[in-house]
Structure formats: C-alpha cells, structure tokens
Amino acid sequence: MKRRGLYQRVFKRPLDFLFALTALIILSPVLLLIAILVRYYLGRPVICKEKRPGQYERLFTLYKFRTKTQRSDAQMEGGKRQEKFGEFLRASSLEVLPELVNVLKGEMSVVGPRPLLLRYQPYFHGNERLRHVVRPGMTGLTQVLGWNALTWDERLQIDVHYVKTFSFPMDARIAMKTAAAVLRGENLRYDVKPFVKDLEKERRGGSAPEGEWEMSQNTLEERGIFAGKKGCDPIETVERGKEFPAPGKNDGIPGYGPCAEEPQPSEQVRSL
C-alpha cells in the first residue's frame, strides 16, 4: 500500500483547525441568531449533545443545534412554526454548525465520513470499519454523491474508498460541492425518495436491539489496530483480517504484524 501523503499526515489537521477557527469567528453572529431562534421556537437545550464513535472508534461528544421540541402538539403554541423551523435547520444543514467546535477540538475534520450512531457499531461488515481510521467529517464524499439515494452497503464502501484515497484536491472538491449545495438550498442528506431504513434494522432483518448499545473493548483503539511499530499500517491491518486481534495476542495472525504492543499511535497514523 502506498505511503500516506504529506496532506494526510501533516497538513489536513492544521487546515481543519484554521478553517474551523475562521468560520466560528465569521459566523458567530449567525450562530448567536440561530441559538436565539432555537431557544424561542424549540426550547432548551439549544445545543444537543450525542455520543458518537470517532477516529479509532474513540467516543466523543457531537454538538449540533436542537431541531425538535419535547413539548406535545397540545402544549405548543404555533406548533407548525416550530416543526417548520426544525425542518429548515435540517434541510439547510445549519444544525451542524456547532460541529465546528468538534473540528476545533480535533475530534472531527471538515471533510470525512460522517459520524454514525453508536448503536450501528456491531453491524459493520468486513473492511467497513476502515471509516474509523480517519476523523469523522462535517461533510463527506458520501454526502455529495447522494446520501439518501444510496444503500447502506454503497454508503459504507464509499467511506472506505475515501479513507484509502483522500487528498487535498478531493477534500477541496467535496467542500466546494457542499458549499454550493447549501447556497442553492439543496439538502445533502434528504430528498423526495423514501429513507433507507436504519443500518441495524437492515442487517438484523428488521429488528433493532433494545436500548443504547455500549462501546465494548473491541474498538480499534483498544485492539491496538491504530498503534504499533514501524511497518504497521492501520488500513492494511483492517483489510487483511475479518477479526481484530486482542492487544498483545496478534503474533500468530497472518497479515497483522506487531500492531498491538505500543500504547500510543505511531507518527505515521496520528495525523490521519
């Protein structure tokens, strides 16, 4: 597998930081106005916090604007206005603007695979977990290719393709396509077609597990996939095996190499 380029290893994270910081400063009046409107129409909390799996499947707190109210229709004054305002935030992608804080903190990137629900984790097949080798993004290749028009298999394989091939020109094109779609009032996630059903329902034949799924010790980080000695590439490691070796117990597994002995990520993959 070819060596990661300078953009992947060095420049992507600083560019993300500069973009997020600049955007937060420029958009601060917009963010304040949206926050006031969310408080007025939808109530508190203005910012919703959700646990999502990030790079190497580490959990992080995702920030986004509230788009729904917990009050019943009978209790709401002007219920239609509240509903339409929430739909507007989702359709315009304004709800994701607080994710700029996640980018600033290093938990997300501007461009990358979107962070999916925690309960989807047990249902990834084969190399689909490669999507977690990089930081999740505010927008991604899957979104600009038509998120809702794609099956889950297609979405996840597009994410894998992005992880293996992303570059500065690709990220720039994705960012420009996203910006153009938002300015035209297009929604990158929703369209007139019926929604694809939830991943866990699709892969469990229609029945979802009860309750919230808890992240186990089988994450890429805990399994040592992200770390290791020289010559251990996390992408190559995940692709070559269907099972993930337990820390310190992977010597006899072909294709893995000494990938689970160091507690910290290697320089080669830390900047992915």
Side-chain angles (χ1 to χ4, degrees):
M1 186 170 201
K2 68 178 182 179
R3 178 179 171 83
R4 302 279 91 184
L6 279 177
Y7 173 69
Q8 295 95 326
R9 292 183 289 114
V10 179
F11 295 120
K12 183 174 173 68
R13 172 59 192 150
L15 288 175
D16 282 337
F17 181 87
L18 289 175
F19 177 89
L21 181 62
T22 303
L24 282 170
I25 294 172
I26 294 175
L27 296 176
S28 55
V30 176
L31 291 167
L32 178 60
L33 176 60
I34 294 174
I36 293 171
L37 293 175
V38 169
R39 176 67 181 89
Y40 176 76
Y41 282 111
L42 303 175
R44 293 183 294 180
V46 171
I47 302 293
C48 290
K49 301 178 182 180
E50 298 178 4
K51 290 293 184 182
R52 298 291 176 94
Q55 188 179 29
Y56 307 121
E57 298 179 341
R58 300 180 183 123
L59 291 186
F60 74 99
T61 301
L62 178 78
Y63 305 115
K64 62 180 182 178
F65 281 121
R66 181 190 190 94
T67 59
K68 295 181 180 179
T69 180
Q70 295 179 343
R71 290 172 288 183
S72 66
D73 291 339
Q75 295 173 314
M76 289 192 301
E77 296 180 4
K80 291 293 183 181
R81 289 198 300 273
Q82 278 102 337
E83 183 179 337
K84 288 183 178 180
F85 180 67
E87 290 176 354
F88 166 74
L89 289 179
R90 292 191 295 272
S92 61
S93 298
L94 291 174
E95 65 165 337
V96 307
L97 287 180
E99 291 176 14
L100 288 166
V101 176
N102 292 117
V103 177
L104 204 63
K105 293 170 65 178
E107 297 165 335
M108 292 182 63
S109 178
V110 176
V111 178
R114 284 293 296 165
L116 298 179
L117 297 176
L118 186 57
R119 68 173 188 265
Y120 289 173
Q121 288 302 108
Y123 304 104
F124 294 133
H125 297 160
N127 68 350
E128 290 171 353
R129 288 175 73 177
L130 278 176
R131 70 189 314 278
H132 294 124
V133 170
V134 300
R135 292 182 178 88
M138 296 182 65
T139 186
L141 182 60
T142 308
Q143 279 63 47
V144 300
L145 290 179
W147 170 260
N148 199 48
L150 302 170
T151 65
W152 273 109
D153 287 344
E154 291 170 331
R155 294 173 184 178
L156 295 174
Q157 285 307 310
I158 290 172
D159 286 343
V160 170
H161 173 75
Y162 171 82
V163 169
K164 293 161 68 174
T165 63
F166 78 94
S167 61
F168 177 74
M170 177 185 286
D171 279 2
R173 287 196 298 270
I174 292 172
M176 288 188 291
K177 284 180 177 292
T178 300
V182 171
L183 292 174
R184 290 196 300 266
E186 297 177 2
N187 193 323
L188 294 174
R189 291 174 299 166
Y190 307 110
D191 57 24
V192 296
K193 297 182 179 180
F195 288 112
V196 177
K197 59 185 177 182
D198 286 346
L199 178 62
E200 80 275 18
K201 291 182 179 180
E202 179 177 305
R203 293 189 171 178
R204 284 173 59 95
S207 61
E210 295 292 332
E212 183 73 7
W213 182 79
E214 295 294 336
M215 183 69 77
S216 71
Q217 296 299 302
N218 194 37
T219 66
L220 299 185
E221 180 179 15
E222 292 291 340
R223 292 288 185 165
I225 297 299
F226 78 107
K229 299 179 180 179
K230 184 177 180 181
C232 175
D233 186 292
I235 297 177
E236 187 172 332
T237 299
V238 176
E239 282 197 304
R240 286 188 180 182
K242 295 181 180 179
E243 306 237 347
F244 294 85
K249 298 182 179 180
N250 61 347
D251 292 340
I253 300 178
Y256 281 102
C259 300
E261 299 179 5
E262 299 293 332
Q264 297 298 323
S266 64
E267 290 296 332
Q268 181 181 357
V269 301
R270 185 182 286 117
S271 62
L272 282 175

